Structure formats: C-alpha cells, structure tokens
Amino acid sequence: MSIAVGDLICFNAAGMKSQSLGLVMDIRTRETNGYGEALKPGDKFTAVKVRWIQKPPKMPAIDAWSLHCLEGLGWAERAGTDTLWHKLWSSFEKVKVSP
C-alpha cells in the first residue's frame, strides 16, 4: 500500500501504532544527501512531510536535510513543531478509515 499526499498515516513501530496519527502534506524524492552530494547511482532518498494530529511519544527520526530550513525552521525549532519532515520508512502505514 503506497502513501500519497492527503493520506492519514500512523507510525507503526515501538508500539506507537495506536498512539500516532498524521496527515501527509508532501512527499519529495532526491538523489543527493543533505550536503548536496550525489548518492550512489540508483539510490534515492524519499522524505514525507507529516502534520501530526496525534504526536507519538516515540517519534520517527526527523529528517535532517534542508527542507526544514527552506521553511524557516532551525534545528532547535523542529522538535517543537507538529509539522515535520521524516524519511519515508516502511513503518509509516496508511490508516484505514471506515465510511
């Protein structure tokens, strides 16, 4: 099941599935590391911007590359906000919503 912008997701790791809920705001893929250096041929890095509705007590790692800075968030300000960029881990799962 792939994740797309507008999906509700949870963080299904470390027992956080029932304690997390987020809205996917953006997804970006790049072929460079956080310093602008090229990754190995064929490697890609995908990041997902999540607006946390219910922030899990144990958060997934916050992506450390420049997208936060482009949005005006410094290193210290990232942890206090509810909208964060994360690496797109397989532990992010789409939440099934009943009609």
Side-chain angles (χ1 to χ4, degrees):
M1 185 180 322
S2 63
I3 292 174
V5 173
D7 286 344
L8 287 173
I9 62 169
C10 65
F11 178 51
N12 188 13
M16 297 296 106
K17 184 172 185 171
S18 64
Q19 299 181 49
S20 62
L21 182 65
L23 175 67
V24 176
M25 305 291 290
D26 196 0
I27 298 174
R28 295 197 187 173
T29 300
R30 65 173 195 217
E31 296 178 359
T32 59
N33 64 19
Y35 302 104
E37 301 164 340
L39 298 173
K40 291 184 229 171
D43 282 355
K44 291 184 181 179
F45 182 90
T46 302
V48 60
K49 183 178 183 180
V50 179
R51 167 64 170 100
W52 289 105
I53 299 162
Q54 182 178 355
K55 230 178 187 182
K58 295 179 185 164
M59 291 285 287
I62 298 170
D63 186 17
W65 56 296
S66 59
L67 289 174
H68 286 103
C69 293
L70 291 173
E71 295 175 349
L73 285 178
W75 181 257
E77 300 163 311
R78 294 176 199 177
T81 185
D82 291 332
T83 304
L84 295 165
W85 284 96
H86 301 277
K87 182 176 180 182
L88 185 55
W89 300 102
S90 58
S91 54
F92 286 119
E93 289 185 4
K94 195 188 267 190
V95 174
K96 295 176 183 156
V97 181
S98 301

